[in-house]
Amino acid sequence: MKLLILFGPPAVGKLTVAEILEKQTDFKLFHNHMITDGLMKIFGANSPSEDKLSRLIREAVIGEAAEAGIDLIFTYVWNFLLPKGKNNIDAYKAQYESRGGEVIFVELDASREVRMNRAEDPERYKIKPNTVNADDIAGYVHDRFTSPTPFYFPENYFKIDTNDKSPQQVADEILNLNIL
């Protein structure tokens, strides 16, 4: 049983690639907006309640998936400037590893300009109504979404530049790593 944590900055292509991988493998998809959008509607974005509950619910879902032996793809925007991101990932990783599972990290990256263009696609907002837009991306400090070198878990870590690749090409690259 495996947990694929597909992470990267907003509008890098995580969900689109994850949807392709779900169709081409036996993995189930648990994307971050499945939880956060509902909580934001009730408590507001980045409120203490939204933050607390999203962490608790994600951990519970990932734990249940591990208990059931489900291969899972989890998408995540990881802010490396805040310790809570690493703490969350450590908890999700422990859920699978404590049950004999393997955790794989794939980081997707793209330039700010490419991500700003992708953020303007209206299809994004059909699936993720509370997602960021191009103006949000323009205002972000890019380094906060870039993993440290070396990465925390180098033995199961892969990084893919998505600038000039279609989502299918990125999914194919992940599949060709023979990690799923």
Side-chain angles (χ1 to χ4, degrees):
M1 138 190 78
K2 295 180 180 183
L3 171 63
L4 169 61
I5 298 176
L6 192 60
F7 68 98
V12 76
K14 297 175 298 294
L15 179 56
T16 307
V17 170
E19 289 173 328
I20 294 168
L21 291 172
E22 181 182 37
K23 289 177 185 169
Q24 295 182 338
T25 67
D26 291 331
F27 278 69
K28 302 292 184 191
L29 172 58
F30 178 45
H31 66 85
N32 200 37
H33 282 269
M34 294 169 88
I35 302 302
T36 58
D37 284 337
L39 293 173
M40 284 180 196
K41 186 174 181 178
I42 297 168
F43 299 105
N46 301 314
S47 69
S49 295
E50 184 268 332
D51 185 56
K52 175 185 174 183
L53 290 171
S54 65
R55 181 179 37 81
L56 290 171
I57 294 168
R58 287 188 308 237
E59 191 170 339
V61 170
I62 291 170
E64 286 298 317
E67 187 67 32
I70 294 172
D71 290 326
L72 191 69
I73 302 166
F74 177 62
T75 65
Y76 191 67
V77 173
W78 189 339
N79 182 344
F80 290 96
L81 298 181
L82 298 176
K84 77 176 188 174
K86 173 81 166 51
N87 294 339
N88 289 343
I89 294 297
D90 285 343
Y92 310 149
K93 185 176 183 289
Q95 295 281 12
Y96 266 73
E97 290 180 339
S98 69
R99 292 168 176 88
E102 180 182 5
V103 180
I104 302 154
F105 297 88
V106 175
E107 179 177 9
L108 303 183
D109 195 23
S111 70
R112 181 185 313 255
E113 294 75 25
V114 166
R115 292 185 301 107
M116 287 172 63
N117 286 335
R118 290 176 183 169
E120 293 303 312
D121 183 350
E123 291 299 310
R124 280 174 56 82
Y125 301 95
K126 290 179 182 176
I127 298 170
K128 305 179 290 187
N130 294 306
T131 194
V132 301
N133 61 35
D135 291 338
D136 296 326
I137 291 169
Y140 289 146
V141 175
H142 185 69
D143 289 349
R144 80 184 211 188
F145 301 116
T146 303
S147 66
T149 303
F151 184 66
Y152 304 119
F153 314 105
E155 64 282 354
N156 285 327
Y157 168 73
F158 305 90
K159 186 171 186 174
I160 299 173
D161 182 325
T162 69
N163 276 304
D164 299 317
K165 297 175 184 160
S166 71
Q168 183 64 59
Q169 288 172 315
V170 175
D172 289 344
E173 192 168 332
I174 293 169
L175 291 169
N176 288 335
L177 292 170
N178 294 316
I179 56 175
L180 304 183

